[in-house]
Amino acid sequence: MGFLRSSSMFSFLLILVLPFSWPTPSSSSANTHEDFLRCLSSSLASNDSSSISRLVYTHRSSNYTSVLESTIHNARFITSTSPRPLVIVTPLHVSHVQATIRCSKRHGLQLRTRSGGHDFEGVSYVSESEAPFVIVDLANLRSIDVDVENEVAWVQSGAIMGELYYAVAQKSRTLAFPGALCHGVAFGGMISGGGYGLLFRKYGLAADNVVDAEFIDVNGRILNRESMGEELFWAIRGGGGGSFGIVLSWKVKLVRVPEIVTVFSISRTLEQNVTQLLHRWQYIAGQFPDEMYSSITIATTNTTVDGRNLTVVATFTTMFLGRANELVPLIQNIFPELGLTIQDCNEMSFVESILVLGMLQNPNENLEILLDRSYRISFLVATPSFKSKSDYVKKPIPEIGFQGIWSQLLEPEARAATLNFVAYGGVMDEISESAVPFPHRKGNIYEISYNVRWPEEDNVNSQRYVSWMRKLYSYMTPYVSKSPREAYVNYRDLDIGKNNDDGHTSYAQASLWGRKYFKNNFNRLVKMKTRIDPENFFRHEQSIPPYFG
């Protein structure tokens, strides 16, 4: 009976997968694909009775495209020429993940792991290699168990940040988690790169607050912190996703927040001395108390109805763990030039500040929007394709440096471009660079993320926008960190270097990008990769490579 059931599953899969919408594979390649599907269907049949149509999607599945694109957040990779996976597996529990790893490895197929699809270069769901690949999409593995009494939570990798914030808020107004601001970012990808947000100057990164994990290695073993050992546990907390195995869930510490926090956003243009304000902000950002998150978003805006008068606008945003009557005199003392008044401030709960600063909606409206995985703010809907880069600033940029930025922001390609400055300092200065693989700690005044966006229909002209971004990035060279020029792995950028398509990349080649993301921690990550996955099964364009002798 089991054989008949497994055979019927395989027949179903084979009908779905042939013919392919990409170039027809050779008979040898087709046999490999068939063998993979037979292996997968047999494994799934022997493990549980879940409907195969709920787990496996091929090119012939009617909803293959909708599943593939459901969590693609960069439409630059939704084109007719974008590589597509042979199969998408959407596991419902751990045995499905184990089966996919085992069958992909056995039949020589590459494997990409996607938790939320926010990878800036799409490496969790596309591949520059011509080899066929499989996606394990963790969106169904999204359970959250909040333990208020012990101030911890178990969170599966497919859960989005909004789901965690909502779950915690339902049980406590004074507990939170120091994760990403964007509600739709999935937990697994965010924490694999470090993860910072509104609370990181007070409590550190998301990765700094992980106390255990459930992990599947290349051999399908399920490991926790004790069984995997401290070195591997160190590597998965900020060493980048897709390199060591698949983390199914994370046990994290929850942190204390007051019942009321204060938020303000103040915008100033070039005509309102924004250059001088930005220059001054750099010198006092490090003086902000740990309880304060401070960022600046820089863009362009039209000052006339006909849109002919374009100028630069900077929005100064703060979230403070306290009341407005505490915040206002503090800002008036150290940053009087901003002109903050009590009328500029709004008091609310911490979870409501996620809604406001995440540009979701009015805080007085329903928190259920945090659970909407498909929600996009209008700006992102209009310009879903983008290219991003990142930098770290250790010395204040002179005013003349900002003048050069303004001239580039006023170019036509930059109509939907933004620069985001996020103040560092606080507890980040006190945590060692080697505490987790994320090394960007003491000595950084702020981080810059650069983003240029364009409409999906303009993807044919994407190189125009990418070239603009590269030009701005080159201009910034004298003003940012050096040797290496540091970058944040969660703002992935393949321009800074990538691995070879064949899976064999030298340590020297990988160091070109690896040290920018991880500095001296890169060597330790390579040693762990060599130990846990020496054949480099888990790999992508910027995965940690093993040593090849």
Side-chain angles (χ1 to χ4, degrees):
M1 183 63 114
F3 172 75
L4 291 175
R5 182 172 153 207
S6 177
S7 297
S8 64
M9 279 186 167
F10 172 65
S11 299
F12 174 74
L13 286 175
L14 192 57
I15 290 171
L16 288 177
V17 79
L18 296 173
F20 299 107
S21 59
W22 51 0
T24 303
S26 65
S27 59
S28 174
S29 177
N31 288 337
T32 298
H33 302 159
E34 294 173 19
D35 290 341
F36 167 76
L37 293 172
R38 181 178 287 109
C39 172
L40 188 61
S41 62
S42 176
S43 297
L44 294 178
S46 63
N47 281 310
D48 66 78
S49 58
S50 299
S51 170
I52 197 71
S53 62
R54 296 174 59 203
L55 302 177
V56 180
Y57 302 86
T58 73
H59 290 255
R60 290 294 297 274
S61 302
S62 61
N63 47 0
Y64 169 87
T65 298
S66 63
V67 171
L68 175 62
E69 296 182 0
S70 62
T71 58
I72 291 181
H73 292 271
N74 190 346
R76 181 158 59 104
F77 303 109
I78 307 178
T79 69
S80 59
T81 59
S82 298
R84 295 194 162 202
L86 170 69
V87 176
I88 305 170
V89 182
T90 58
L92 295 173
H93 54 70
V94 63
S95 64
H96 302 155
V97 180
Q98 291 172 302
T100 307
I101 292 173
R102 179 169 55 251
C103 294
S104 297
K105 185 180 178 185
R106 181 179 299 169
H107 298 290
L109 295 173
Q110 291 189 21
L111 188 66
R112 298 293 169 106
T113 305
R114 180 170 75 173
S115 54
H118 277 81
D119 190 287
F120 283 11
E121 295 282 17
V123 303
S124 64
Y125 52 84
V126 297
S127 172
E128 292 191 356
S129 169
E130 295 183 359
F133 66 101
V134 175
I135 290 177
V136 176
D137 190 318
L138 303 178
N140 291 328
L141 298 177
R142 54 202 277 193
S143 71
I144 298 172
D145 182 15
V146 176
D147 181 350
V148 171
E149 182 178 352
N150 293 301
E151 299 183 0
V152 295
W154 272 102
V155 186
Q156 287 192 306
S157 287
I160 60 171
M161 286 307 309
E163 291 171 326
L164 176 59
Y165 291 138
Y166 181 87
V168 174
Q170 293 304 295
K171 294 191 173 184
S172 173
R173 286 180 59 90
T174 58
L175 288 177
F177 181 72
L181 172 60
C182 177
H183 92 289
V185 171
F187 203 76
M190 181 271 300
I191 213 164
S192 293
Y196 74 88
L198 297 181
L199 299 175
F200 86 119
R201 297 185 75 254
K202 176 68 174 178
Y203 293 110
L205 306 171
D208 294 325
N209 290 275
V210 177
V211 295
D212 205 347
E214 183 184 29
F215 173 86
I216 302 181
D217 72 3
V218 69
N219 297 312
R221 297 181 301 165
I222 303 173
L223 307 173
N224 59 18
R225 178 175 184 172
E226 181 179 4
S227 57
M228 76 175 73
E230 288 301 306
E231 278 298 293
L232 179 54
F233 183 63
W234 173 85
I236 63 175
R237 293 176 295 144
S243 289
F244 304 101
I246 298 177
V247 182
L248 294 177
S249 58
W250 311 79
K251 184 180 182 181
V252 297
K253 294 184 295 184
L254 302 179
V255 299
R256 303 281 184 92
V257 294
E259 288 197 11
I260 298 296
V261 306
T262 302
V263 169
F264 73 76
S265 291
I266 295 178
S267 296
R268 297 286 186 265
T269 64
L270 287 180
E271 295 74 21
Q272 296 170 315
N273 297 320
V274 75
T275 304
Q276 292 73 28
L277 286 173
L278 284 166
H279 185 252
R280 174 61 181 157
W281 177 86
Q282 297 177 107
Y283 287 90
I284 51 91
Q287 300 176 35
F288 295 146
D290 297 0
E291 292 77 15
M292 182 185 296
Y293 168 88
S294 177
S295 69
I296 304 171
T297 300
I298 302 168
T300 57
T301 188
N302 289 306
T303 59
T304 57
V305 176
D306 60 13
R308 295 181 180 179
N309 189 11
L310 199 65
T311 189
V312 173
V313 59
T315 301
F316 296 77
T317 298
T318 286
M319 190 284 296
F320 176 67
L321 297 173
R323 307 297 295 246
N325 59 7
E326 302 172 73
L327 177 62
V328 172
L330 189 155
I331 295 295
Q332 289 176 342
N333 181 48
I334 62 177
F335 196 17
E337 298 88 346
L338 188 60
L340 179 70
T341 68
I342 196 76
Q343 289 74 29
D344 297 313
C345 298
N346 291 283
E347 295 185 337
M348 61 195 71
S349 68
F350 174 77
V351 71
E352 289 169 341
S353 75
I354 295 292
L355 296 181
V356 172
L357 299 183
M359 296 184 289
L360 295 180
Q361 62 179 33
N362 187 300
N364 296 321
E365 297 183 28
N366 207 313
L367 293 180
E368 270 74 17
I369 195 171
L370 290 169
L371 306 177
D372 187 349
R373 301 170 73 91
S374 62
Y375 183 85
R376 305 283 192 278
I377 61 176
S378 58
F379 174 68
L380 302 186
V381 172
T383 54
S385 301
F386 67 90
K387 172 65 180 177
S388 297
K389 290 178 175 290
S390 61
D391 264 321
Y392 286 88
V393 176
K394 299 178 183 293
K395 295 181 179 180
I397 298 174
E399 289 189 20
I400 192 172
F402 286 116
Q403 298 292 349
I405 296 174
W406 307 157
S407 65
Q408 298 199 47
L409 279 176
L410 295 172
E411 294 175 357
E413 294 80 8
R415 292 297 181 265
T418 59
L419 277 68
N420 294 287
F421 296 1
V422 177
Y424 268 51
V427 76
M428 290 291 284
D429 283 352
E430 302 170 15
I431 301 174
S432 168
E433 286 191 356
S434 61
V436 297
F438 178 102
H440 315 293
R441 307 283 188 169
K442 188 175 182 179
N444 292 299
I445 304 174
Y446 57 99
E447 176 197 58
I448 303 177
S449 62
Y450 313 88
N451 307 274
V452 62
R453 308 188 70 93
W454 59 92
E456 185 175 350
E457 58 268 22
D458 211 13
N459 274 340
V460 292
N461 299 313
S462 62
Q463 195 57 43
R464 170 189 172 196
Y465 301 99
V466 172
S467 295
W468 177 87
M469 173 62 74
R470 290 170 177 164
K471 181 164 67 77
L472 174 62
Y473 187 74
S474 176
Y475 168 81
M476 293 297 293
T477 302
Y479 306 116
V480 298
S481 60
K482 300 172 179 63
S483 301
R485 182 173 182 173
E486 299 173 34
Y488 179 33
V489 68
N490 273 358
Y491 296 160
R492 193 180 302 282
D493 177 14
L494 295 184
D495 287 350
I496 67 175
K498 56 187 176 181
N499 297 331
N500 295 328
D501 290 347
D502 63 4
H504 287 75
T505 301
S506 69
Y507 175 83
Q509 179 181 337
S511 294
L512 295 177
W513 58 263
R515 293 198 176 279
K516 293 176 182 179
Y517 289 142
F518 306 111
K519 298 177 68 174
N520 292 333
N521 292 331
F522 180 66
N523 185 54
R524 189 174 168 186
L525 289 168
V526 172
K527 288 180 179 178
M528 174 47 59
K529 173 69 171 184
T530 307
R531 195 187 90 188
I532 193 74
D533 183 19
E535 296 181 1
N536 204 23
F537 171 71
F538 288 106
R539 67 179 185 268
H540 55 70
E541 287 74 11
Q542 281 187 345
S543 59
I544 304 296
Y547 285 116
F548 290 104

